[in-house]
Amino acid sequence: MPPPTSPPTPPSMPPLLPLPLTPSSLSPSAPMPTLPHLTTPSTPPSLPPSVPSPTLTVSPVILHHGIDDVLTVTITGRDLSTKNDYDWIGLYPKETADSWTDSKPVVDDYITYKYVPFLSTTTVSLDISIAEVDVGLYAAIFLAKDGYSQVPGFSPAYFAITALPSTPPSTPPPMTPCVPPSTPPSMPPPTSP
């Protein structure tokens, strides 16, 4: 019969420090013993600044043709590590935006566009002129690097340009004055009983 073998030795562990266990050290009001190999930082670690969710918004959402001529587009939650000098906002008809495929549309029917400023901030607002845009439904699309791929995480923001409602005339139509007849009406003579 072979001789018994001893069990493998466990990996070496740092020595445990003996804790003084006395009746007084077990009381709830006793101070906690300190362990020199464990330290608590004097200040808690700082968390990275919170970055809002990626959102593309437009204001106002309803514009009036001939009156409103500027659309404000706001980009919130932009990833600063991927921003590019050639990121841009394209304004497209709603139908084009609804069928967007991240490649150049067969008919590139953008209405207008504007490059997004290269700022070190997660929120950027820019004004886009829409003075020459016809009545209709449109979308602002945030596109990357002078191309046609949407910036990840951002969905199109929709808006409408409407016709002005017809308004009543500002002055009432002229009234025809009442002119009394040139001769007073004749009355029959009174009759006696």
Side-chain angles (χ1 to χ4, degrees):
M1 190 166 173
T5 59
S6 60
T9 57
S12 75
M13 303 269 300
L16 295 176
L17 297 174
L19 295 176
L21 295 177
T22 62
S24 65
S25 70
L26 297 175
S27 76
S29 61
M32 205 57 179
T34 59
L35 302 173
H37 63 284
L38 297 177
T39 59
T40 304
S42 58
T43 58
S46 62
L47 297 174
S50 68
V51 175
S53 299
T55 309
L56 185 67
T57 57
V58 292
S59 177
V61 176
I62 298 176
L63 301 106
H64 297 93
H65 188 267
I67 301 243
D68 301 314
D69 59 356
V70 174
L71 178 73
T72 301
V73 179
T74 302
I75 301 162
T76 305
R78 185 178 187 195
D79 183 355
L80 298 179
S81 67
T82 62
K83 68 180 182 170
N84 183 281
D85 279 337
Y86 298 102
D87 291 345
W88 59 292
I89 297 291
L91 300 186
Y92 283 87
K94 178 186 180 301
E95 299 78 26
T96 302
D98 287 346
S99 60
W100 199 263
T101 62
D102 281 352
S103 61
K104 185 175 182 176
V106 173
V107 175
D108 195 6
D109 57 351
Y110 71 88
I111 305 305
T112 190
Y113 69 93
K114 191 166 189 178
Y115 286 103
V116 177
F118 192 74
L119 302 173
S120 294
T121 178
T122 60
T123 300
V124 176
S125 289
L126 55 147
D127 292 337
I128 299 176
S129 173
I130 54 151
E132 302 299 320
V133 180
D134 290 331
V135 170
L137 299 175
Y138 299 95
I141 305 175
F142 188 19
L143 301 165
K145 301 177 183 172
D146 218 13
Y148 292 91
S149 294
Q150 291 186 67
V151 174
F154 289 90
S155 297
Y158 294 91
F159 63 99
I161 299 177
T162 63
L164 288 175
S166 61
T167 56
S170 58
T171 57
M175 295 182 65
T176 308
C178 284
V179 179
S182 57
T183 58
S186 62
M187 301 272 292
T191 57
S192 48

